[in-house]
Amino acid sequence: MRWPSLRFAAGVVLLGAAYYGAAKLGQTLRYTASVSAIWPPAGLGIAALYLWGVRWWPGVLLGELAVNGELLLDNSMIPVGSLLGQQAGNMAEIIVGALLLRQLIGPNAGMDRVEHVGGMLVALGTATAISATVGTISMVAGDVVDESDAAVFWRTWWLGDTSGGLVVLPLLLAWAQDPMRAWRRIRTWEGAAVIGGVTALGVVAVSTEEPITYMVFPALIWAAFRFGPAGATLSIAITAGVAIGVTAHDVGPFSQQTIDHRTLSTQLYIGVAAITTLFLTVVVSERERSSRALAEAHRTEGERAVEERRRIARDLHDSVSQALFSTVLHTRTAQKALVQEGATPSGRVARSLAAIADLTKRVQSEMRGLIFELRSEPVHDGLVAALAEHATALRASDGPTIDVRGPGPRLALSQRVESQLFAIAREALANVLKHAAATTAQVRVDAVDGQVVVEVRDDGRGFNPSAGHPGHYGLESMHSRASEIGGQLTIASAPGRGTVVRVQVPAEDGTG
Amino acid sequence: MEDASQDTIGVLVVDDHEVVRRGLLAFLDGEPDIDVLGQASSGREALELLASMDNEGRRPDVIVMDLQMAPLDGIESTRQVRALYEDIEVVALTSFGEQERVHAALEAGASGYLLKDSDADDVAAAVRAAHRGELQLDPGIARRLMSSLRQRPGDDPTSELTSRELDVLRLVAAGKPNKQIATELAISERTARTHVSRILRKLRLSSRTQAALWAVREGLVEVEPGSHQT
């Protein structure tokens, strides 16, 4: 036998075994004839054929043959013809269900969208109706079931297959997506707590004779909210398993009822719990998805804004800055020509030209600052380079000289820390320019003993740092930036003695 | 023209912004010792113009070269100019915030650079300094250039230099212009210029700046470490 057919045979046997196992599980809650209150194999078969493809139908057939063969040996009451009819109905149920499911919700649906759950309900309901109808006709024809009981028989069959499908089908579909990821999500303390909660409340809900089956819902809602489709479907399966197990032992609220009512109550309990939880979890999934989309939109919006700022900076640089440089040259040309022509420096034209030259310088300086602001990410060449560039941008003929010194190689700091240090130094320099009336300012960056120190020092008029300057000098913002990066900020100053702003942060390990 | 080229500095202005070219032309033409011989709006146009000027025997002494141009940007143009005409000096013209390009231009062989927000008089001064063969170096940029030189593989080329060339190299590294080198070594300025060209060729370097830095690295002279003064 060639390898692919060997694999196929193995898959068929495996599917058949799983189908048989699911049927055995369903038969533990069997009240009348061959009809179980819960029939999980239908959902299993539909899931297998949906996920792997309809060509795996022989696996389902194998499982069916095993189940019915056993039934035939155990119970000679059921004629072979009825069993064959029932089997044909079950096969049609599973194949139609898988095809319909693929048609309605497409391949690889993870039960995390409203249309997945809706489509699954339609496909499952339709498929199980086929099986229930064909099965009922077969049984009535074989005189296993009396014609007067046909309606109840059909209902029990249909609800059994549907509620079993509602437990098994979403469970398999949700877990088939990414089993490892689903498992990692569940395998936490909270995951253990929610599983424990579902089990405990599930037991409580069906163990007393009081009608308190709603007890299980808080735990199911918890699972739906926190653990996505995989956690929710697992919780539904646990709830169903507990309900079947407990009711089969003749305890709980359903056991007091007639066998028909007991079946119906169990089916409705499981069906309602499953549908409610499934819809809740898809709504939560949809919400998570839209909040992710919103965050993504914010991010691209931010990137677009940065790109736009860069474009404006480029345009300013390409047009206005060039024209200003030319203005400087032309003005100087005119000034020199005027001198050559023997005009006095205090003449009206000379004074106007001097004013134009002065004005142009000032606009150039403003333009530099503006372009620098627009080109965000100021530290992408390193803190020292950014500070040197910023100092150049602040240069003004009437302002202090600003001297920046620091190590040439990149500091062992993340970009975030460098940005904050840059912002602190920029704030300090802005204070120097605005308030200090200094003649020189020095910016020092030092990396010693695993610490990075940034110091901004000026020889200006100083101030009393303990006096408090609410809302002024950006001192609060400097302090909060420093604490945000785990740094220490100190400000040393006294009236007439200049100011030293010093911030110290630990260098980061492993970055050199 | 023969006479003029002895007294005045012939300049070629290369910039893709017409407004800047007009300003530079107007200003430089007003300087008595500077003669603008031509203008080009791109690196390619500049090289074509240089070829035809060379045919006519009126090479410029200094090119004022914008760095951001197309086709052929200022850095690549500088490299080609320095390869084709080693006696023509290039002053790079850059905008604020283009430090990376300045390094590249100096590596390509520019002998100085000017920011586009310099004072007008600085422009004339830079042209004159380049013509005299003076170095203009920001210490920060010098450090960067040194490390880039270090990456250049090469077998000890010092041995190829004559002792006279080593003398000239030491003076170049000390920032002395050709005229002063000529005076100190009692040779003509033209001879000094020839020595410098030969040194550059032997060391496979493209500018005096690089030669000076190379000399510093080889321990021929000392420089003081400086700071970014703004």
Side-chain angles (χ1 to χ4, degrees):
Chain A
M1 226 196 282
R2 284 180 307 133
W3 173 239
S5 39
L6 192 69
R7 235 179 64 163
F8 183 74
V12 164
V13 171
L14 206 71
L15 179 54
Y19 189 93
Y20 178 79
K24 284 275 145 208
L25 201 69
Q27 283 169 355
T28 58
L29 194 66
R30 183 172 53 184
Y31 305 116
T32 49
S34 66
V35 177
S36 294
I38 283 284
W39 188 245
L44 178 94
I46 292 173
L49 265 49
Y50 165 78
L51 290 169
W52 302 341
V54 176
R55 68 192 186 91
W56 293 92
W57 64 267
V60 177
L61 184 64
L62 189 68
E64 272 285 316
L65 286 172
V67 173
N68 286 330
E70 201 181 30
L71 216 57
L72 196 63
L73 293 177
D74 282 0
N75 188 349
S76 51
M77 293 271 295
I78 303 174
V80 180
S82 298
L83 277 179
L84 283 176
Q86 170 194 319
Q87 180 159 333
N90 284 354
M91 286 304 294
E93 168 187 45
I94 285 165
I95 291 170
V96 168
L99 290 174
L100 202 54
L101 198 56
R102 196 171 265 263
Q103 194 66 39
L104 289 174
I105 63 177
N108 300 316
M111 289 297 119
D112 56 349
R113 290 175 184 277
V114 174
E115 34 312 356
H116 290 177
V117 174
M120 191 228 16
L121 288 179
V122 171
L124 188 64
T126 311
T128 50
I130 294 172
S131 165
T133 307
V134 175
T136 306
I137 291 169
S138 303
M139 292 300 161
V140 171
D143 280 334
V144 182
V145 172
D146 192 72
E147 219 168 308
S148 60
D149 293 333
V152 173
F153 190 81
W154 187 93
R155 188 196 69 202
T156 308
W157 189 307
W158 184 74
L159 278 176
D161 280 22
T162 303
S163 54
L166 280 174
V167 172
V168 175
L169 184 55
L171 178 74
L172 294 176
L173 262 48
W175 281 79
Q177 285 291 304
D178 189 348
M180 285 319 291
R181 194 165 147 235
W183 173 237
R184 275 197 301 275
R185 198 166 169 182
I186 300 275
R187 202 190 52 186
T188 57
W189 286 113
E190 195 191 347
V194 86
I195 297 300
V198 167
T199 312
L201 289 179
V203 170
V204 170
V206 294
S207 292
T208 72
E209 282 159 24
E210 301 298 321
I212 53 164
T213 47
Y214 49 77
M215 285 288 288
V216 77
F217 279 95
L220 288 176
I221 289 167
W222 181 15
F225 260 97
R226 299 279 299 154
F227 294 95
T233 53
L234 183 63
S235 301
I236 293 166
I238 292 169
T239 306
V242 167
I244 292 168
V246 171
T247 308
H249 285 94
D250 284 338
V251 275
F254 309 144
S255 63
Q256 301 304 305
Q257 300 162 341
T258 65
I259 205 133
D260 275 351
H261 274 99
R262 180 196 294 199
T263 306
L264 183 63
S265 300
T266 311
Q267 288 170 337
L268 290 177
Y269 169 69
I270 290 169
V272 168
I275 290 174
T276 313
T277 311
L278 284 173
F279 272 112
L280 185 60
T281 192
V282 295
V283 167
V284 171
S285 294
E286 299 273 8
R287 200 199 56 182
E288 280 174 2
R289 212 172 1 256
S290 60
S291 74
R292 266 200 306 276
L294 198 63
E296 173 66 16
H298 275 305
R299 201 180 58 74
T300 50
E301 184 60 32
E303 273 170 11
R304 211 171 292 143
V306 167
E307 185 43 50
E308 182 66 6
R309 284 159 63 96
R310 293 222 179 100
R311 193 188 60 73
I312 294 169
R314 233 176 3 251
D315 286 354
L316 284 176
H317 176 268
D318 278 351
S319 55
V320 184
S321 294
Q322 310 292 336
L324 284 171
F325 180 49
S326 197
T327 310
V328 168
L329 293 166
H330 282 297
T331 313
R332 189 68 187 137
T333 309
Q335 283 179 321
K336 288 198 157 183
L338 203 62
V339 172
Q340 274 173 5
E341 285 164 16
T344 55
S346 56
R348 281 178 64 190
V349 178
R351 274 186 292 144
S352 282
L353 284 173
I356 291 172
D358 204 41
L359 203 60
T360 315
K361 280 274 119 185
R362 211 182 308 162
V363 177
Q364 276 184 317
S365 167
E366 278 169 21
M367 190 61 68
R368 274 198 307 270
L370 198 58
I371 289 174
F372 185 75
E373 282 293 317
L374 287 170
R375 286 179 180 161
S376 53
E377 280 182 10
V379 297
H380 86 68
D381 273 333
L383 178 63
V384 180
L387 287 170
E389 200 172 348
H390 183 62
T392 313
L394 290 176
R395 186 180 59 191
S397 52
D398 55 348
T401 62
I402 304 169
D403 181 39
V404 177
R405 282 188 210 192
R410 289 296 293 260
L411 300 161
L413 295 174
S414 68
Q415 180 133 344
R416 187 182 70 87
V417 174
E418 286 205 327
S419 297
Q420 295 290 16
L421 288 174
F422 176 81
I424 291 167
R426 184 181 54 192
E427 194 74 60
L429 282 173
N431 285 340
V432 172
L433 263 58
K434 261 190 275 178
H435 309 291
T439 58
T440 66
Q442 296 175 318
V443 181
R444 294 284 174 274
V445 181
D446 279 312
V448 269
D449 295 334
Q451 300 282 316
V452 174
V453 177
V454 178
E455 211 174 64
V456 178
R457 182 187 290 268
D458 69 75
D459 61 355
R461 62 165 71 110
F463 69 109
N464 180 0
S466 57
H469 301 266
H472 290 289
Y473 300 100
L475 297 183
E476 289 93 333
S477 104
M478 284 197 278
H479 276 290
S480 73
R481 283 180 193 280
S483 66
E484 200 179 313
I485 54 174
Q488 284 184 311
L489 183 92
T490 51
I491 298 173
S493 184
R497 308 283 293 273
T499 302
V500 181
V501 174
R502 183 188 149 95
V503 59
Q504 181 171 345
V505 292
E508 276 145 66
D509 291 334
T511 46
Chain B
M1 217 17 105
E2 272 293 301
D3 285 344
S5 68
Q6 302 247 310
D7 307 326
T8 64
I9 308 168
V11 172
L12 179 64
V13 171
V14 188
D15 195 310
D16 58 340
H17 293 95
E18 204 207 338
V19 63
V20 172
R21 286 203 306 276
R22 280 214 305 261
L24 283 169
L25 251 55
F27 174 73
L28 291 174
D29 261 342
E31 297 294 296
D33 58 337
I34 293 175
D35 190 10
V36 179
L37 301 180
Q39 52 168 312
S41 65
S42 74
R44 181 155 307 156
E45 203 183 310
L47 284 165
E48 285 165 11
L49 185 60
L50 270 178
S52 71
M53 288 170 92
D54 193 37
N55 279 338
E56 295 164 24
R58 48 178 201 111
R59 282 190 191 186
D61 300 295
V62 176
I63 299 177
V64 177
M65 177 95 76
D66 187 26
L67 292 184
Q68 203 176 353
M69 292 183 297
L72 213 60
D73 70 7
I75 292 156
E76 189 48 39
S77 309
T78 301
R79 207 184 314 275
Q80 296 196 14
V81 166
R82 295 292 298 166
L84 291 168
Y85 317 97
E86 60 195 18
D87 57 330
I88 299 180
E89 302 293 342
V90 176
V91 174
L93 194 56
T94 85
S95 298
F96 168 74
E98 293 187 331
Q99 277 82 345
E100 289 299 318
R101 281 210 181 86
V102 171
H103 298 144
L106 290 172
E107 256 173 9
S111 60
Y113 68 95
L114 266 176
L115 287 175
K116 273 193 176 171
D117 46 16
S118 309
D119 280 333
D121 291 338
D122 292 344
V123 177
V127 168
R128 292 187 190 108
H131 182 57
R132 282 197 303 270
E134 277 178 20
L135 298 174
Q136 306 173 304
L137 261 202
D138 180 299
I141 287 170
R143 258 199 308 276
R144 287 285 300 263
L145 276 178
M146 287 259 254
S147 57
S148 70
L149 276 182
R150 217 165 281 147
Q151 289 153 8
R152 212 174 274 244
D155 42 347
D156 183 27
T158 344
S159 51
E160 294 174 23
L161 295 183
T162 65
S163 64
R164 177 37 52 110
E165 282 164 356
L166 281 171
D167 290 340
V168 172
L169 181 55
R170 273 190 204 98
L171 292 168
V172 167
K176 302 273 168 68
N178 285 339
K179 189 176 252 174
Q180 217 171 324
I181 294 173
T183 317
E184 285 195 24
L185 298 179
I187 52 178
S188 76
E189 196 181 337
R190 185 174 290 274
T191 312
R193 202 178 269 266
T194 313
H195 277 308
V196 173
S197 304
R198 215 172 277 150
I199 291 166
L200 293 184
R201 214 172 313 140
K202 283 185 177 174
L203 298 181
R204 281 181 237 104
L205 298 173
S206 51
S207 72
R208 301 170 71 91
T209 314
Q210 291 178 347
L213 290 168
W214 187 86
V216 171
R217 203 191 73 199
E218 294 297 309
L220 297 176
V221 284
E222 291 275 318
V223 287
E224 285 173 30
S227 67
H228 267 292
Q229 188 80 37
T230 61

